[in-house]
Amino acid sequence: MKDVARHARVSVSTVSYVLNDSGPVAPERRNRVLDAVRVLEYSPNESARNLKLRSASTIGMVVPELTNPFFAMVAEGVQKAASARDVLVVLVVPDATEQPEENQAKLLRSQRIDGVVYLSGTGSMPASIYDLARSGPVVLVDEQIPGMDLPAVVCESRKGAREVAAHALGQGHRRVAVIGGPPGLWTAQQRLAGYREAFAGAGLDPDSVPVFPGDYRQASGHDLAARALSDDPRPTLLICTNDLMAIGAMEYCREVGLRVPEDVSVVGFDDLPFSALLTPRLTTVRQPAHEMGFRAASALFELLENDESGAVGELPATVQIRDSVRPPGGGA
């Protein structure tokens, strides 16, 4: 800025007024400053600017993987919110680099980021991420971590799970199996709790319904469907804790000649963009992944600018009734 001021023959404060549009400057002086900026190819030091303005120049986004479209849509929402503020997002994907979250958190710290949007793949927080939370804002998305008093943006997972299970049970199913998520994840626990509430409401003993914990990946749904459907009598309904595992379960059914939904009904959770394009179209629960990411990033910016702690934000989950569920026995 001093070089620009010297070239334009004005004070440094005048340069600041022009660049930040924060004070009155005569047109002739303004033009001299803008000319000097172009000649010198001046680019503001965003880090220094933001220290004064108390806003962000760079934030981090930790997401377990991007092969899961839901995670990718959350990351897109974060990017959209950041782009609206000209903020850079450093995306950290531990699975993609085969580096544990501890090493990735050290990378974030070295980048001098202003805050982090954190989507846990483990249900816990590595010590280095915890250190980041003590030194700067961290906002959780699609997860809550017990013992961590951090703002979070989540979905009504329990309510959505209860409602989709109640819909399937309302078709007459009583032989049911659940392909669950990772036991340590809050989302998986919430969905399982919602399913159990629906079982109890339909007169089923929740403890009598077998649960096969998975990892939210398609291959997991495939393998666990093989285990679940080997029971005698065979379940007529598979409740899967996310869409990818539901797709894996449907894939297994095709391989062994079981028809969905005539022989086995299948339920998912997430409503990924292609879930309505499957054959049959998947009955599932829609959670607004893009908006969750956008709101999490927005909450992070509010923390940076206003020091407000921010409460947990819960977005609606809505059941999408399609073709993959029908009464047992091939009824219409």
Side-chain angles (χ1 to χ4, degrees):
M1 288 180 67
K2 289 180 181 178
D3 290 340
V4 171
R6 190 160 39 245
H7 191 280
R9 304 187 308 281
V10 297
S11 66
V12 172
S13 60
T14 298
V15 174
S16 177
Y17 289 156
V18 172
L19 296 179
N20 296 309
D21 197 22
S22 57
V25 179
E28 187 268 337
R29 287 191 172 192
R30 177 181 297 275
N31 290 335
R32 292 212 311 264
V33 170
L34 295 177
D35 286 341
V37 167
R38 283 190 292 269
V39 169
L40 299 176
E41 297 182 346
Y42 171 73
S43 179
N45 184 326
E46 292 295 332
S47 296
R49 262 176 87 180
N50 287 309
L51 284 174
K52 289 188 175 182
L53 298 176
R54 187 151 178 74
S55 61
S57 62
T58 306
I59 64 171
M61 168 71 187
V62 180
V63 60
E65 57 178 307
L66 293 178
T67 54
N68 185 326
F70 174 78
F71 297 151
M73 289 190 292
V74 172
E76 285 178 0
V78 171
Q79 178 62 50
K80 183 176 181 181
S83 295
R85 293 172 175 253
D86 293 325
V87 172
L88 176 67
V89 178
V90 176
L91 184 64
V92 174
V93 188
D95 280 9
T97 57
E98 297 182 352
Q99 292 185 19
E101 287 176 314
E102 288 285 349
N103 292 341
Q104 296 290 349
K106 292 175 183 176
L107 171 64
L108 285 175
R109 190 162 51 242
S110 72
Q111 297 297 313
R112 299 183 180 181
I113 60 170
D114 300 295
V116 175
V117 175
Y118 183 66
L119 202 168
S120 172
T122 62
S124 62
M125 179 172 284
S128 47
I129 292 285
Y130 177 70
D131 289 342
L132 285 174
R134 289 193 299 179
S135 61
V138 172
V139 174
L140 305 177
V141 60
D142 191 42
E143 199 68 35
Q144 293 188 53
I145 298 178
M148 300 297 297
D149 185 21
L150 294 172
V153 177
V154 297
C155 181
E156 296 174 330
S157 289
R158 188 167 184 160
K159 176 176 177 288
R162 180 175 63 249
E163 291 180 353
V164 77
H167 163 71
L169 294 169
Q171 302 298 304
H173 293 279
R174 289 300 177 269
R175 299 200 306 272
V176 185
V178 175
I179 296 180
L185 282 184
W186 179 86
T187 54
Q189 295 168 356
Q190 288 293 299
R191 293 172 198 180
L192 182 57
Y195 299 146
R196 289 173 61 86
E197 290 170 356
F199 300 153
L204 282 178
D205 177 5
D207 293 332
S208 71
V209 178
V211 178
F212 300 86
D215 62 9
Y216 282 161
R217 293 183 172 95
Q218 184 172 334
S220 174
H222 177 282
D223 296 344
L224 294 174
R227 290 177 53 192
L229 295 173
S230 67
D231 286 350
D232 188 15
R234 186 180 66 223
T236 62
L237 171 64
L238 290 180
I239 297 179
C240 302
T241 315
N242 80 339
D243 283 1
L244 284 182
M245 292 195 299
I247 292 168
M250 292 169 69
E251 179 184 27
Y252 172 77
C253 289
R254 283 193 298 273
E255 290 175 1
V256 298
L258 291 173
R259 298 168 300 163
V260 178
E262 292 86 354
D263 300 319
V264 182
S265 290
V266 178
V267 164
F269 199 110
D270 281 339
D271 194 27
L272 299 178
F274 48 75
S275 295
L277 305 176
L278 299 171
T279 303
R281 299 181 309 145
L282 183 63
T283 292
T284 185
V285 178
R286 175 179 297 166
Q287 54 175 349
H290 192 274
E291 185 178 357
M292 290 168 70
F294 187 92
R295 290 211 187 178
S298 298
L300 181 63
F301 297 139
E302 289 177 8
L303 281 169
L304 285 164
E305 294 167 6
N306 303 319
D307 281 332
E308 294 179 359
S309 59
V312 170
E314 194 170 40
L315 300 181
T318 54
V319 176
Q320 306 299 305
I321 299 174
R322 299 193 180 112
D323 307 326
S324 65
V325 175
R326 69 167 56 176

